[in-house]
Amino acid sequence: MFQTIVKLFLLVIISAAITPFIRKLAFVLGAVDNPNVRRVNKRPMPTIGGLGIFIAFNIGTFILLRDKFPTHELFSILLAASIIILTGLIDDINELKPKQKMFGILLAALVIYFLAGIKMNEISLPWFGRIQLGWWSLPITVFWILALTNAVNLIDGLDGLATGVSMISLITMGIVGYFFLHTWQHYVPLMCVMLACCLVGFLPYNFHPAKIFLGDTGALYIGFMISILSVKGLKNVTFISMLVPIIILGVPITDTVYAMIRRKLNKKPISAADKHHLHHQLMKMGLSHRQTVLAIYGISLIFSFVSLIFISAPSWGIWPLILGLLFALELFVETIGLLGEKFKPLLHFLQRNINKMMRADPEVKDHNKKK
């Protein structure tokens, strides 16, 4: 255990040492993010920061802690991750169309499913028992990978945002996998912590004011790794183990889901970009760049804490927890205007009922008469 901890610290140093070289390489390759209407950076910024994370992580898995992982699965994950990195690199140098990026992620997901054998086989639901997924295993597994990969990519809008949120999520997944979900193989939580250590080494260069961006290279890679690590823990899915990663990744998933709803309400294509994401709305409320990022870190920590409570809760307490979380989430989303100023159904409902109660209150009536 001590040797493993030492090697994890070494992984942080390796990631931090590699990043300056990746920064120089980005300028050589022309992987530079230039300022525009959609960007928050005011000067050209090198991207492909995720390449350093990818290299550091594989140094960890193939050299430092090689004896901890099964060979076939490790090489299969490397192949799939390489497809993701290549897709991200091409996009950071010469921007790809959404369909082209989706094709790259889909190809990597198929490698994970057929070559690595990482898939969801069955699900255990309350009152229904165990349900074999059968041929549904492929579309459900691929959808999960596509959804989480794009969710992390979507929140990569501010310096250090996707890096920090992913780091918090990965550490929480590692804790949950090691201490609570005993169906997980022991090396899956270790992988989660290793990837988190690579992000720790990268974060000082990425936090505001950033010296390098993750780019699609990094955002897609981190999202992809989180998705397959969670699938590895969900091979035989229970209702609780299925919801835990969703709660842990509450920030990117919430932002993605509400972005889709918002665009649908405004009759815009789902893939269309806008400036109404969570971080945009917080900045419109007056928070600075750094304050916004720290606020979202705090929200991510809350989701992580809730996931730990969720696992520890008795069976009768699960549904009240879910309903309470959904209510609080909807209230927060509408308060900051994530769906827009017009679409606030819960707030309007609460306001109407409060007004009715006030009008029916005798003390309020007497007060209004005196006025």
Side-chain angles (χ1 to χ4, degrees), residues 59-113:
I59 288 172
T61 52
F62 282 93
I63 299 174
L64 298 180
L65 294 161
R66 176 65 190 88
D67 59 325
K68 304 289 183 183
F69 309 105
T71 300
H72 175 75
E73 194 169 282
L74 196 61
F75 278 94
S76 301
I77 291 173
L78 174 63
L79 175 60
S82 298
I83 295 170
I84 293 291
I85 288 290
L86 183 61
T87 303
L89 279 170
I90 295 170
D91 186 58
D92 285 330
I93 298 169
N94 298 306
E95 194 169 344
L96 293 173
K97 295 177 181 177
K99 288 182 180 179
Q100 293 172 322
K101 277 198 288 188
M102 196 64 73
F103 176 77
I105 302 168
L106 177 61
L107 185 61
L110 292 175
V111 170
I112 288 296
Y113 187 90

Coordinates of all heavy atoms in Angstrom, one line a residue, residues 59-113:
I59 N 2.0 5.8 -18.4 CA 3.3 5.6 -17.7 C 2.9 4.9 -16.4 O 3.6 3.9 -15.9 CB 4.1 6.9 -17.4 CG1 4.6 7.4 -18.7 CG2 5.2 6.6 -16.4 CD1 5.3 8.8 -18.6
G60 N 1.9 5.4 -15.7 CA 1.4 4.7 -14.5 C 1.0 3.3 -14.6 O 1.3 2.4 -13.8
T61 N 0.1 3.1 -15.6 CA -0.5 1.7 -15.8 C 0.5 0.7 -16.4 O 0.5 -0.5 -16.1 CB -1.7 1.8 -16.7 OG1 -1.4 2.5 -17.9 CG2 -2.9 2.5 -16.0
F62 N 1.4 1.2 -17.3 CA 2.3 0.2 -18.0 C 3.6 0.1 -17.4 O 4.4 -0.8 -17.7 CB 2.4 0.7 -19.5 CG 1.2 0.3 -20.3 CD1 0.2 1.2 -20.6 CD2 1.1 -1.0 -20.9 CE1 -0.9 0.8 -21.3 CE2 0.0 -1.3 -21.7 CZ -1.0 -0.4 -21.9
I63 N 4.0 1.1 -16.5 CA 5.4 1.0 -15.9 C 5.3 1.0 -14.4 O 5.7 0.0 -13.7 CB 6.2 2.2 -16.4 CG1 6.4 2.2 -17.9 CG2 7.6 2.2 -15.7 CD1 7.1 3.4 -18.5
L64 N 4.7 2.0 -13.8 CA 4.8 2.1 -12.3 C 4.0 1.1 -11.6 O 4.4 0.5 -10.6 CB 4.3 3.5 -11.9 CG 5.1 4.7 -12.4 CD1 4.4 6.0 -11.9 CD2 6.5 4.7 -11.9
L65 N 2.7 0.8 -12.1 CA 1.8 -0.1 -11.4 C 1.4 -1.2 -12.3 O 0.2 -1.7 -12.3 CB 0.6 0.6 -10.8 CG 1.0 1.6 -9.7 CD1 -0.1 2.6 -9.5 CD2 1.3 0.8 -8.4
R66 N 2.3 -1.7 -13.2 CA 1.9 -2.6 -14.2 C 1.3 -3.9 -13.7 O 0.4 -4.5 -14.3 CB 3.1 -3.0 -15.1 CG 2.9 -4.0 -16.2 CD 2.0 -3.5 -17.2 NE 1.6 -4.6 -18.1 CZ 0.6 -5.4 -17.9 NH1 -0.2 -5.3 -16.8 NH2 0.2 -6.4 -18.8
D67 N 1.8 -4.4 -12.6 CA 1.3 -5.7 -12.0 C -0.1 -5.7 -11.5 O -0.6 -6.7 -11.1 CB 2.3 -6.2 -10.9 CG 2.4 -5.2 -9.8 OD1 2.3 -3.9 -10.0 OD2 2.6 -5.6 -8.6
K68 N -0.7 -4.5 -11.4 CA -2.0 -4.4 -10.8 C -3.2 -4.6 -11.8 O -4.3 -4.7 -11.5 CB -2.2 -2.9 -10.2 CG -1.2 -2.5 -9.2 CD -1.3 -3.3 -7.9 CE -0.3 -2.8 -6.9 NZ -0.4 -3.5 -5.6
F69 N -2.8 -4.6 -13.1 CA -3.9 -4.6 -14.2 C -3.8 -5.8 -15.1 O -2.6 -6.2 -15.5 CB -3.8 -3.3 -15.0 CG -3.8 -2.1 -14.2 CD1 -2.6 -1.4 -14.0 CD2 -4.9 -1.7 -13.5 CE1 -2.6 -0.2 -13.2 CE2 -4.9 -0.5 -12.7 CZ -3.7 0.2 -12.5
P70 N -4.9 -6.4 -15.6 CA -4.9 -7.5 -16.5 C -4.4 -7.0 -17.9 O -4.8 -6.0 -18.4 CB -6.4 -7.9 -16.6 CG -7.2 -6.8 -16.1 CD -6.3 -6.0 -15.1
T71 N -3.6 -7.8 -18.5 CA -2.9 -7.4 -19.8 C -3.9 -7.1 -20.9 O -3.8 -6.0 -21.5 CB -1.9 -8.5 -20.2 OG1 -0.9 -8.6 -19.2 CG2 -1.2 -8.0 -21.5
H72 N -4.7 -8.1 -21.2 CA -5.6 -7.9 -22.4 C -6.5 -6.7 -22.2 O -6.6 -5.9 -23.2 CB -6.5 -9.1 -22.5 CG -7.5 -9.0 -23.6 ND1 -7.2 -9.1 -24.9 CD2 -8.9 -8.8 -23.5 CE1 -8.3 -9.0 -25.7 NE2 -9.3 -8.7 -24.8
E73 N -7.1 -6.5 -21.1 CA -8.0 -5.3 -20.8 C -7.2 -4.0 -20.9 O -7.7 -3.0 -21.5 CB -8.6 -5.5 -19.5 CG -9.8 -4.5 -19.3 CD -10.6 -4.9 -18.0 OE1 -11.4 -5.9 -18.1 OE2 -10.4 -4.2 -17.0
L74 N -6.0 -4.0 -20.4 CA -5.2 -2.8 -20.4 C -4.8 -2.4 -21.8 O -5.0 -1.2 -22.1 CB -3.9 -3.0 -19.6 CG -3.1 -1.8 -19.1 CD1 -4.0 -0.9 -18.2 CD2 -1.8 -2.2 -18.4
F75 N -4.4 -3.3 -22.7 CA -4.1 -3.0 -24.0 C -5.3 -2.6 -24.8 O -5.3 -1.7 -25.7 CB -3.4 -4.1 -24.7 CG -1.9 -4.2 -24.4 CD1 -1.4 -4.9 -23.4 CD2 -1.0 -3.4 -25.1 CE1 -0.1 -5.0 -23.0 CE2 0.4 -3.4 -24.9 CZ 0.8 -4.2 -23.8
S76 N -6.5 -3.2 -24.5 CA -7.7 -2.8 -25.2 C -8.1 -1.4 -24.9 O -8.6 -0.6 -25.7 CB -8.8 -3.8 -24.8 OG -8.5 -5.1 -25.1
I77 N -8.0 -1.1 -23.6 CA -8.3 0.3 -23.2 C -7.4 1.3 -23.8 O -7.8 2.4 -24.2 CB -8.3 0.4 -21.6 CG1 -9.5 -0.4 -21.0 CG2 -8.4 1.9 -21.2 CD1 -9.4 -0.5 -19.5
L78 N -6.1 0.9 -23.9 CA -5.1 1.8 -24.6 C -5.5 2.1 -26.0 O -5.4 3.2 -26.5 CB -3.7 1.2 -24.5 CG -2.6 1.9 -25.2 CD1 -2.4 3.3 -24.7 CD2 -1.3 1.1 -25.2
L79 N -5.9 1.0 -26.7 CA -6.3 1.2 -28.1 C -7.5 2.1 -28.2 O -7.5 3.0 -29.1 CB -6.6 -0.2 -28.7 CG -7.2 -0.2 -30.2 CD1 -6.2 0.4 -31.1 CD2 -7.5 -1.6 -30.6
A80 N -8.5 1.9 -27.4 CA -9.7 2.7 -27.5 C -9.4 4.2 -27.1 O -9.9 5.1 -27.8 CB -10.8 2.2 -26.5
A81 N -8.6 4.3 -26.0 CA -8.2 5.7 -25.6 C -7.4 6.4 -26.7 O -7.5 7.6 -26.8 CB -7.5 5.6 -24.3
S82 N -6.6 5.6 -27.4 CA -5.8 6.2 -28.5 C -6.6 6.8 -29.6 O -6.3 7.8 -30.2 CB -4.8 5.2 -29.0 OG -3.9 4.8 -28.0
I83 N -7.7 6.1 -29.9 CA -8.7 6.6 -30.9 C -9.3 7.9 -30.4 O -9.4 8.8 -31.2 CB -9.8 5.5 -31.1 CG1 -9.2 4.3 -31.7 CG2 -10.9 6.1 -32.0 CD1 -10.2 3.1 -31.8
I84 N -9.6 8.0 -29.1 CA -10.2 9.2 -28.5 C -9.2 10.3 -28.6 O -9.5 11.5 -29.0 CB -10.6 9.0 -27.1 CG1 -11.8 8.0 -27.0 CG2 -11.0 10.3 -26.4 CD1 -13.1 8.6 -27.5
I85 N -7.9 10.0 -28.2 CA -6.9 11.1 -28.3 C -6.6 11.6 -29.7 O -6.5 12.8 -29.9 CB -5.6 10.5 -27.7 CG1 -5.7 10.3 -26.2 CG2 -4.4 11.4 -28.0 CD1 -5.7 11.6 -25.4
L86 N -6.6 10.6 -30.6 CA -6.4 11.0 -32.0 C -7.6 11.9 -32.5 O -7.4 12.9 -33.2 CB -6.3 9.8 -32.9 CG -6.0 10.0 -34.4 CD1 -4.7 10.7 -34.6 CD2 -6.0 8.6 -35.2
T87 N -8.8 11.5 -32.2 CA -10.0 12.3 -32.5 C -9.9 13.7 -31.9 O -10.1 14.7 -32.6 CB -11.3 11.7 -32.0 OG1 -11.4 10.3 -32.6 CG2 -12.5 12.5 -32.4
G88 N -9.5 13.8 -30.7 CA -9.3 15.1 -30.0 C -8.2 15.9 -30.6 O -8.4 17.2 -30.8
L89 N -7.1 15.3 -30.9 CA -6.0 16.0 -31.5 C -6.4 16.6 -32.9 O -6.1 17.8 -33.2 CB -4.8 15.1 -31.7 CG -3.9 14.8 -30.5 CD1 -2.9 13.7 -30.8 CD2 -3.1 16.0 -30.1
I90 N -7.0 15.8 -33.7 CA -7.5 16.4 -35.0 C -8.4 17.5 -34.8 O -8.3 18.5 -35.5 CB -8.1 15.2 -35.9 CG1 -7.1 14.1 -36.2 CG2 -8.7 15.8 -37.1 CD1 -7.7 12.9 -36.8
D91 N -9.3 17.4 -33.9 CA -10.3 18.5 -33.6 C -9.6 19.7 -33.1 O -10.0 20.8 -33.4 CB -11.4 18.0 -32.6 CG -12.5 19.0 -32.5 OD1 -13.1 19.3 -33.5 OD2 -12.7 19.5 -31.4
D92 N -8.6 19.6 -32.2 CA -7.9 20.7 -31.7 C -7.0 21.4 -32.7 O -6.8 22.6 -32.6 CB -7.0 20.3 -30.5 CG -7.9 20.0 -29.3 OD1 -9.0 20.7 -29.1 OD2 -7.5 19.2 -28.4
I93 N -6.6 20.7 -33.7 CA -5.7 21.3 -34.8 C -6.6 21.8 -35.9 O -6.5 22.9 -36.4 CB -4.7 20.3 -35.3 CG1 -3.7 19.9 -34.1 CG2 -3.9 20.9 -36.4 CD1 -2.8 18.7 -34.4
N94 N -7.4 20.9 -36.4 CA -8.4 21.3 -37.5 C -9.8 20.9 -37.0 O -10.1 19.7 -37.0 CB -8.1 20.5 -38.8 CG -6.7 20.9 -39.3 OD1 -6.4 22.1 -39.5 ND2 -5.8 19.9 -39.5
E95 N -10.6 21.8 -36.7 CA -11.9 21.6 -36.1 C -12.8 20.6 -36.9 O -13.0 20.7 -38.0 CB -12.7 22.9 -35.9 CG -13.9 22.7 -34.9 CD -14.4 24.1 -34.5 OE1 -13.8 25.1 -34.7 OE2 -15.6 24.1 -34.0
L96 N -13.2 19.5 -36.1 CA -14.1 18.5 -36.7 C -15.5 18.9 -36.6 O -15.9 19.7 -35.7 CB -13.9 17.2 -36.0 CG -12.5 16.5 -36.2 CD1 -12.4 15.2 -35.3 CD2 -12.3 16.1 -37.7
K97 N -16.4 18.3 -37.4 CA -17.8 18.5 -37.3 C -18.3 17.6 -36.1 O -17.7 16.5 -35.9 CB -18.5 18.1 -38.6 CG -18.2 19.0 -39.8 CD -18.9 18.5 -41.0 CE -18.5 19.5 -42.2 NZ -19.1 19.0 -43.5
P98 N -19.4 17.9 -35.5 CA -19.9 17.1 -34.4 C -20.1 15.6 -34.7 O -19.8 14.7 -33.9 CB -21.3 17.7 -34.0 CG -21.1 19.2 -34.4 CD -20.2 19.1 -35.7
K99 N -20.6 15.3 -36.0 CA -20.8 14.0 -36.4 C -19.5 13.2 -36.5 O -19.4 12.0 -36.2 CB -21.5 13.9 -37.7 CG -23.0 14.3 -37.7 CD -23.7 14.2 -39.0 CE -25.2 14.6 -38.9 NZ -25.8 14.5 -40.2
Q100 N -18.4 13.9 -36.9 CA -17.1 13.3 -37.1 C -16.5 12.9 -35.7 O -15.9 11.9 -35.5 CB -16.1 14.2 -37.8 CG -16.5 14.4 -39.3 CD -15.7 15.5 -40.0 OE1 -15.3 16.5 -39.4 NE2 -15.4 15.3 -41.2
K101 N -16.7 13.8 -34.7 CA -16.2 13.6 -33.4 C -17.0 12.4 -32.8 O -16.5 11.5 -32.1 CB -16.4 14.8 -32.5 CG -15.3 15.8 -32.6 CD -15.3 16.8 -31.4 CE -16.4 17.8 -31.5 NZ -16.2 18.8 -30.4
M102 N -18.3 12.4 -33.0 CA -19.2 11.3 -32.5 C -18.8 10.0 -33.1 O -18.8 8.9 -32.4 CB -20.6 11.6 -32.9 CG -21.7 10.8 -32.1 SD -21.6 11.1 -30.3 CE -22.4 12.7 -30.3
F103 N -18.4 10.0 -34.4 CA -17.9 8.7 -35.0 C -16.7 8.2 -34.3 O -16.5 7.0 -34.0 CB -17.6 8.9 -36.5 CG -17.0 7.7 -37.2 CD1 -17.8 6.7 -37.5 CD2 -15.7 7.6 -37.4 CE1 -17.3 5.5 -38.1 CE2 -15.1 6.5 -38.0 CZ -16.0 5.5 -38.4
G104 N -15.7 9.1 -33.9 CA -14.5 8.7 -33.2 C -14.8 8.1 -31.9 O -14.3 7.0 -31.5
I105 N -15.7 8.7 -31.1 CA -16.1 8.2 -29.8 C -16.9 6.8 -30.0 O -16.6 5.9 -29.2 CB -17.1 9.2 -29.1 CG1 -16.4 10.5 -28.9 CG2 -17.5 8.7 -27.7 CD1 -17.3 11.7 -28.5
L106 N -17.7 6.7 -31.0 CA -18.5 5.5 -31.2 C -17.5 4.3 -31.5 O -17.7 3.2 -31.0 CB -19.4 5.7 -32.4 CG -20.2 4.5 -32.8 CD1 -21.1 3.9 -31.7 CD2 -21.1 4.8 -34.0
L107 N -16.5 4.6 -32.4 CA -15.5 3.6 -32.7 C -14.8 3.1 -31.5 O -14.6 1.9 -31.3 CB -14.5 4.2 -33.7 CG -13.5 3.2 -34.3 CD1 -14.2 2.1 -35.1 CD2 -12.5 4.0 -35.2
A108 N -14.4 4.1 -30.6 CA -13.7 3.7 -29.4 C -14.6 2.9 -28.4 O -14.2 1.9 -27.8 CB -13.2 5.0 -28.7
A109 N -15.9 3.3 -28.4 CA -16.8 2.5 -27.5 C -17.0 1.1 -28.0 O -17.1 0.2 -27.2 CB -18.2 3.3 -27.6
L110 N -17.0 0.9 -29.3 CA -17.1 -0.5 -29.9 C -15.9 -1.3 -29.5 O -16.0 -2.5 -29.3 CB -17.3 -0.4 -31.4 CG -18.7 0.2 -31.8 CD1 -18.7 0.4 -33.4 CD2 -19.9 -0.6 -31.4
V111 N -14.7 -0.7 -29.5 CA -13.5 -1.4 -29.1 C -13.6 -1.8 -27.7 O -13.3 -3.0 -27.3 CB -12.2 -0.5 -29.3 CG1 -11.0 -1.1 -28.7 CG2 -12.0 -0.2 -30.8
I112 N -14.1 -0.9 -26.8 CA -14.3 -1.3 -25.4 C -15.3 -2.4 -25.2 O -15.1 -3.3 -24.4 CB -14.8 0.0 -24.6 CG1 -13.7 1.0 -24.5 CG2 -15.4 -0.4 -23.3 CD1 -12.5 0.5 -23.7
Y113 N -16.4 -2.4 -26.0 CA -17.4 -3.4 -25.9 C -16.9 -4.8 -26.4 O -17.1 -5.8 -25.7 CB -18.7 -3.0 -26.6 CG -19.9 -3.9 -26.4 CD1 -20.8 -3.7 -25.4 CD2 -20.1 -5.0 -27.3 CE1 -21.8 -4.5 -25.2 CE2 -21.2 -5.8 -27.1 CZ -22.0 -5.6 -26.0 OH -23.1 -6.4 -25.8

